[in-house]
Each structure stands twice: as C-alpha cells, then as structure tokens.
Amino acid sequence: MTRPSLIAGNWKMNGMLADARALAKAIAGGHRPAAGNRSDVVLCPPAPLLLAVGEALAGSAVALGGQDCHAKPSGAFTGDVSARLLADIGCRYVIVGHSERRTLHGESDATVRAKAEAALAAGLIAIICVGETLAEREAGATASVLERQIDGSVPAAAAAATTVVAYEPVWAIGTGKVATTAQVAEAHGGLRRRLARNHADGGEFRLLYGGSVKPDNAGELLALPDVDGALVGGASLDAGQFLAIVAAARG
Ligand code: 13P
C-alpha cells in the first residue's frame, strides 16, 4: 500500500490576523485535488490564529494543525495549549518536538514523547520532528542522534495512521541550505529501519523532509522513495510557493 503524501505548512511565529485569513483562503482556493487523490495538506498557524484560519479553510481539502501542545490535558500551565483544546477547535494535526522547541525551550526526547502521547490521546495526528545539528553531522553522529530521537520521542503506541515523523536537519532550517538528496535518502532510510524495528507498522509511517524546501527543490526531494511529504517553513508563507510544493507532491 502506498503512503498518502502530506505537505505541512509551519507558519511559525509569523502573520497577523488579516494576512493569515488571506493566506489560508488563497491556499484553500488553490488546492483542488482530483477525486481519489490521497495527498494531504495541513496549515499550522500561530495558536491565536487557529480559529480564524480554521474558518478560512472550512469546506476545503486543507486541514488545520497546531505548532505545539502541552503534555497535560488541562491545568495550571500559563501560556500553554492542550492537545484536547486543539482537537476541540478543529485541528487534525499537531507538530511536536520541532528543533526550535527542543533548542529554545529545552524540550527533551521525553518531553516530546509525552506531548505526542497527549496528541494521540486527543485524537490528533502527531507530526514528531527529529534532526541533527551541524556539529552532530560533522562529528559523524547523524545516524545515532536520529535513532536516539526516534527511540525517545515516538510513543510505543504510535502507529502509521496517527503519527508522522519529520526529518529536519537543524542546519537546513531557514538557512537556504537544503540537504542533498543523498543525505535525505540516507537519513530517511535509517528512520524507516528504526521505525520498522520499533513498530509493527513502521513501514507505513509517513516520513516528511523539512529544511529550506522550495518549489525548485521539492520535486527531487519528494521523488525519493522514503520521502512522503514535506514540512515547509518560509515557503508556506507564500500561497504560490506553497501550492507549487503541494503540486510537486501530487506528481
Ligand atoms: P524553512 O522551510 O523555513 O527552512 O523551515 C523549515 C521548518 O523548520 C519547518 O518546520
């Protein structure tokens, strides 16, 4: 069974209310998959814009996702958002363990796993991010870092229908330095083997690549055998660029 592709737009901390509505409407209006098309598209705006973006996407083939969630369902966690609330307001996905959260908010593999477990419990699809830093790559540690992150961040109960893994080499995020197809193929092959070792349906998990994905490099990245989609940052803030990447995934 072939895996359906997934193109996810991570808007990060960008956009104001009016821009967000306009961008979401442009993407929803431009994404008209043919009947039977199994490619999925999701937009992950900043939390305060989720409701407005959800309204703009209503009735379209584009889903809504959060950029992060808390591990607990509710409580005294000022500033945090629960997975349950994300699901309640219409999200189908949530990103967890993005390298910006791991680095800037000190999130460990155990924290990321707890968030992913909360996402699964809330009925969301978790997009769990992994990726090595430049120093780790230069030290020849890429494979061991990715294995450690997979073992520590992906819940034991994760399954292909509920969990997506995104490989985002930290040195390729927002830098314009996209990983080579050989680097991506090697990393994704290792991720696939690790998931297959840890999960009965590990061969069916969708694996996304993220890091400076643009319309001009999306085609060759998405054509790699273990690349099932992309997690797009900067280019997801431009409807034309994002839709061109979506079109590349449809082949
Ligand atoms: P860029 O596409 O801007 O490099 O960001 C990638 C990313 O971090 C998506 O989550």
Side-chain angles (χ1 to χ4, degrees):
M1 196 182 123
T2 56
R3 299 175 292 267
S5 68
L6 172 64
I7 303 295
N10 176 9
W11 291 2
K12 307 192 179 184
M13 197 175 74
N14 293 296
M16 294 284 141
L17 180 58
D19 322 325
R21 281 199 172 114
L23 180 56
K25 276 198 173 2
I27 290 170
H31 176 55
R32 304 213 171 277
N37 185 290
R38 291 172 70 232
S39 58
D40 296 323
V41 178
V42 56
L43 299 182
C44 303
L49 299 178
L50 280 165
L51 275 175
V53 169
E55 276 168 25
L57 298 178
S60 80
V62 180
L64 186 66
Q67 295 180 8
D68 178 46
C69 66
H70 197 276
K72 294 280 191 312
S74 62
F77 303 105
T78 303
D80 280 310
V81 176
S82 72
R84 255 177 17 153
L85 177 57
L86 292 176
D88 187 48
I89 65 162
C91 289
R92 287 200 48 221
Y93 295 80
V94 63
I95 299 168
V96 293
H98 191 281
S99 69
E100 287 148 19
R101 303 282 325 169
R102 289 178 184 263
T103 309
L104 303 172
H105 296 265
E107 294 188 4
S108 65
D109 287 329
T111 308
V112 175
R113 187 177 64 241
K115 291 182 173 201
E117 283 166 351
L120 303 188
L124 294 171
I125 296 174
I127 302 176
I128 303 174
C129 302
V130 297
E132 82 288 359
T133 63
L134 186 58
E136 288 164 340
R137 174 163 285 276
E138 287 176 345
T142 300
S144 60
V145 167
L146 295 180
E147 287 176 358
R148 190 200 70 220
Q149 290 178 332
I150 290 292
D151 293 356
S153 308
V154 181
T162 58
T163 309
V164 175
V165 170
Y167 170 58
E168 297 206 305
V170 178
W171 49 271
I173 295 176
T175 57
K177 273 191 217 158
V178 64
T180 65
T181 50
Q183 288 170 326
V184 176
E186 189 180 355
H188 279 232
L191 292 171
R192 174 71 66 214
R193 284 191 295 279
R194 200 68 177 181
L195 288 166
R197 167 188 175 274
N198 294 353
H199 302 272
D201 64 349
E204 294 302 320
F205 277 57
R206 288 184 286 182
L207 299 182
L208 313 185
Y209 168 77
S212 299
V213 176
K214 308 286 176 206
D216 62 358
N217 60 29
E220 61 176 10
L221 289 163
L222 292 165
L224 295 170
D226 270 310
V227 176
D228 306 307
L231 181 52
V232 185
S236 72
L237 298 171
D238 179 288
Q241 288 193 36
F242 187 69
L243 288 167
I245 294 168
V246 170
R250 290 208 300 260

